[in-house]
Amino acid sequence: MHENLQKSITEMPEYAELLRRRNAITTPLAAIVLIAYYTFIILVAYAPDFMGRPIVENGLTSVGIIFGLGLILLTFAVTAFYVWYANTLIEPLLHKIYQKATHDE
């Protein structure tokens, strides 16, 4: 019975749409975060003079601190966007699939 339920779910057009929507967003968001993170690490490793340069003359805040703060804020923004996307576009499909699967049993 469990195998029949799994097969019926994977054959639903809503399930294919769910996978398409999920993959359409997770790959670009992961790429954005990874590119930003590795760019930061590479700059720290290979451009320490640039990253250590103060924002204002004789200031305490460096370019690296601003980049690091920007990376943290980017991570929050990407997470917030994904939560919004999942709640508005993925969650309704999950409910529709659940309703169809439980109704068919």
Side-chain angles (χ1 to χ4, degrees):
M1 182 163 184
H2 182 268
E3 291 174 4
N4 292 338
L5 178 61
Q6 183 179 0
K7 186 177 183 198
S8 69
I9 289 173
T10 57
E11 291 174 350
M12 289 180 188
E14 291 87 358
Y15 183 73
E17 178 69 14
L18 172 72
L19 293 179
R20 188 191 65 74
R21 284 185 183 180
R22 189 187 66 194
N23 291 336
I25 197 67
T26 55
T27 302
L29 291 180
I32 288 168
V33 171
L34 288 173
I35 289 168
Y37 176 75
Y38 282 110
T39 301
F40 179 75
I41 296 300
I42 288 169
L43 284 173
V44 168
Y46 294 106
D49 292 337
F50 171 71
M51 294 297 274
R53 183 179 306 151
I55 296 294
V56 294
E57 195 169 329
N58 296 326
L60 297 175
T61 305
S62 67
V63 172
I65 289 179
I66 299 300
F67 271 67
L69 180 61
L71 186 60
I72 292 168
L73 294 175
L74 174 70
T75 304
F76 282 125
V78 165
T79 302
F81 177 75
Y82 181 76
V83 167
W84 170 82
Y85 184 87
N87 287 338
T88 58
L89 297 174
I90 294 176
E91 202 61 34
L93 278 173
L94 286 172
H95 288 296
K96 194 180 291 186
I97 291 168
Y98 177 77
Q99 291 298 325
K100 275 187 164 184
T102 56
H103 181 69
D104 290 344
E105 282 186 47

